[in-house]
Amino acid sequence: MEKKFLKGNEAVAEAAILAGCRFFAGYPITPQNEIPEYMARRMPQVGGVFLQGESETASVCMVYGAAAMGKLAMTSSSGPGISLKAEGISTLAGAQLPAVIVNVMRGGPGLGTIQAAQSDYLHATKAMGHGGFRVLVLAPSTVQEAIDLTYKAFGLAVKYQNPAVVLMDGWIGSMMEPVTLPEAKEPVKNAYTGWGTRYYNPSGTDVDVVTSCLLEPDRQELLNIHFGEMYETWARDEVMAEEYMLGDAEYVIVAYGTAARAARTAIGSLREKGVKAGMLRPISLYPFPYDALKRLDKSRVRCILDTEMTLPVQMKDDIRLGVTDAIPVHSCGRSGGVVLTNEDIEDALLRIIEEEGK
Amino acid sequence: MDALYERPKSLTNRATAYCPGCLHGVATRLIAELIDELDARADTVAVLPVGCGTLGMFHFNTDIVVSPHGRTPAVATGVKRSAPEKLVFSYQGDGDLAAIGLAEIMHAANRGENFTVIFINNGTYGMTGGQMAPTTLVGQKSTTTPEGRNPAETGYPMMMCEILSQLRAPRYIARFSLDCPANVIQAKKGLRKSFELQRAGKGFTFVELLSNCPTNWGLSPLECLEWMRENTMKAFPLGVFRDRED
Amino acid sequence: MEKKITIAGFGGQGVMAIGQMLGYASCKAGGNALFLPKYGPEQRGGTANCTVTLADVEIGAPESRYVDTLIALNQPSLERFLGAVRPGGLVLLNSSLCRWTGGREDVKLAEIPADDIAREIGSPKVANIVVIGAYIGLSGVLTERQMLDAIEEKLGKRPELLEMNRLALKRGMESATPRT
Ligand SMILES: Cc1ncc(C[n+]2csc(CCOP(=O)(O)OP(=O)(O)O)c2C)c(N)n1
Ligand code: SF4
Ligand SMILES: [Mg+2]
């Protein structure tokens, strides 16, 4: 089958529709504008709803309302808008509703820059909002993977009745690559399984009480314990990572998304120079692939290079948890929207090797 | 023998979660009666705010979606657009609607969303203990205006019916009071009209209900009603502000 | 094979269209491609640039320090991106709007009077097709047939349009003059 040549943002939007998403609400912000623009054209064609909210706060709440009605729903934004959505995402999580949130990252903090960056790793993986909940975080590194992971994010969101985040950067959003699209799923009505009804209207048989407010501490604690157990399941069942040339690697680059692509090219030329470099590429950032790091041969791997499009790097603590300080972890990256090239990574690793030799 | 008084089917069978004498109870009951009368219990979605209105979770025997603070019209937009066949209303206090959620109410109204907003104006933040609300009257004391609301510092009460009437899209905008049976009957008529307009797909309908907060006003339920007549209802004239035929 | 090409010029010169069309043709011909437009305030000054990678292998870095080819459609673009061409790489100039002022001895240089040719053909709009012709003629990365297939699909099959584009592509392929 001939491949389509699609732009990342539009590909993500189409993938959502193919996954059965029939509700989208968003608010303009660069570099994700093609997602709402595409949805504005496409949703009416498939009998879905597109809304431009008056703010990110409002749009994510529109998604919450749609999800409460059993719709597969999505919103998208970039850094500053994701901050505003935090409230709604926390509400979705607390009310046990599925939804997909796409963050097309730019350079932060604050308004920062509109160019591509990976500024929101910590926000996405540690605290997408108040209250100590977690979301599944998937990080594509190609347009094809952006499609596949968006499609998968809906499945995971429904499976766990929890929001899932597709975390990509402005480059993946704006680049075009050859892709194949997955098959279209029939939209299904998601049955509400959250806990509101059992507490507020226990005898109600034909009604749902969709709420993130359990009011009573002991009930809320039970739910939080349930969430904790669910996150453990994710860590067991939903971890995704790619191991690239790790078999004999003495230097392991850990990178995700676009940074991992630059690393792949760097590894090619490092190997030509006789440097045994390889890469671990986390695809799910939450749950994080700690086990793949634990499995690294500590007698062979001389160091790890955490490579990110953000400074200071944000993934390093997770990497260190994985290798428990048995392997030194260095870092390199560019930030604020400055382009990270393969040469930047190659230079950084060669410098580290030179330092080692001294 | 016919029952003279029955619990509406759209209310759950439990004692009130609101404070004694609070008119939230009257508003909740009015809405439930009306849903019964329209035979709409199984088709209704109540979108509840953050505020004492959240306690409606205990009471409405209908589908319920609880919103983050102030985003109630945005949540209701998502609900109604996803399930146009449902009878959808948002139920919001003055803090929820006129302070933190001002953008959401203005834009839902401006889009002419086909749901009904029920606005409980009690001039205070009841749930959090009686702070100033956007509707607190000039001179009225609250925990954050201990000397009474001073317009030089905190502006004037926001008249939401009048403000929303500046917009073109809304279909019906009216203010009623819950202070006495006669006014309650009027309020119910306004609510019925709103629900019927919504069912006919006519667009945005908005009903403001002047209410009280015995707990934070520090008055007995009866004194509250007297106070409303002498103060609230003078500052917020009752009436229909918009009834636009197509 | 993997080739990185930066295309730069004024907005409205079809910078993005050239990059996209090359990427699209490679994709349609069964190869790989990555088109990366630059967005942001730098666009607003009236200049535009993009990088396209054409390959028959998996594509790693979307952007590297050096590219194989610079297609400069105007003078400021040449000055800005000349340093990014790898030694031995190609600089393709639109000589209707831009002239070589030296500065690199280690690159191949070729010129194409794209706007003049387009005017001769009868439509100033096809200047970007002329440029594409020049590039594939010089690099051999895509064949005339492959390119035409892509152009036909993206720009339409109307006979007079098709003929104009076919001519522009051919003239571009024939008229690019390498300078040494
Ligand atoms: C984002 C956010 N800010 C503040 C609060 C705390 N809060 C809960 S209820 C409330 C005010 C409610 O007042 P109103 O809307 O007038 O409702 P009432 O209780 O008077 O009916 C506030 C500020 C909150 N829950 N969420
Ligand atoms: S605090 Fe005030 S508004 Fe809330 S239930 Fe009690 S009396 Fe009613
Ligand atoms: Mg209030």
Side-chain angles (χ1 to χ4, degrees), chain B residues 18-19 22 24 52 55 122 126-127 212-216:
Chain B
Y18 307 113
C19 301
C22 177
H24 265 302
C52 289
L55 300 172
N122 62 1
M127 176 61 102
N212 67 349
C213 177
T215 301
N216 292 299

Side-chain angles (χ1 to χ4, degrees), chain A residues 213-290:
Chain A
C213 178
L214 292 190
L215 281 178
E216 300 285 349
D218 50 351
R219 291 170 179 176
Q220 189 64 51
E221 184 182 50
L222 275 181
L223 182 61
N224 291 347
I225 290 169
H226 162 78
F227 284 150
E229 287 163 359
M230 178 170 75
Y231 306 151
E232 302 272 309
T233 331
W234 297 356
R236 201 185 59 224
D237 298 340
E238 309 299 351
V239 175
M240 284 184 284
E242 182 198 354
E243 302 189 358
Y244 180 68
M245 300 198 130
L246 276 190
D248 62 346
E250 295 173 358
Y251 299 92
V252 175
I253 297 170
V254 181
Y256 72 92
T258 300
R261 300 182 71 135
R264 200 182 295 271
T265 303
I267 289 166
S269 64
L270 283 162
R271 288 217 163 226
E272 277 171 21
K273 295 186 171 120
V275 178
K276 288 185 179 156
M279 172 167 64
L280 176 72
R281 177 171 74 91
I283 297 171
S284 61
L285 301 184
Y286 194 94
F288 190 78
Y290 294 109

Side-chain angles (χ1 to χ4, degrees), chain B residues 137-155:
Chain B
L137 301 184
V138 171
Q140 189 179 351
K141 286 189 177 161
S142 75
T143 59
T144 48
T145 52
E147 305 299 324
R149 182 175 192 168
N150 172 7
E153 271 180 30
T154 52

Side-chain angles (χ1 to χ4, degrees), chain A residues 188-227:
Chain A
V188 283
K189 187 170 190 277
N190 178 52
Y192 187 61
T193 57
W195 291 13
T197 316
R198 73 169 78 155
Y199 290 135
Y200 293 110
N201 195 355
S203 54
T205 48
D206 57 351
V207 292
D208 293 326
V209 180
V210 180
T211 182
S212 68
C213 178
L214 292 190
L215 281 178
E216 300 285 349
D218 50 351
R219 291 170 179 176
Q220 189 64 51
E221 184 182 50
L222 275 181
L223 182 61
N224 291 347
I225 290 169
H226 162 78
F227 284 150

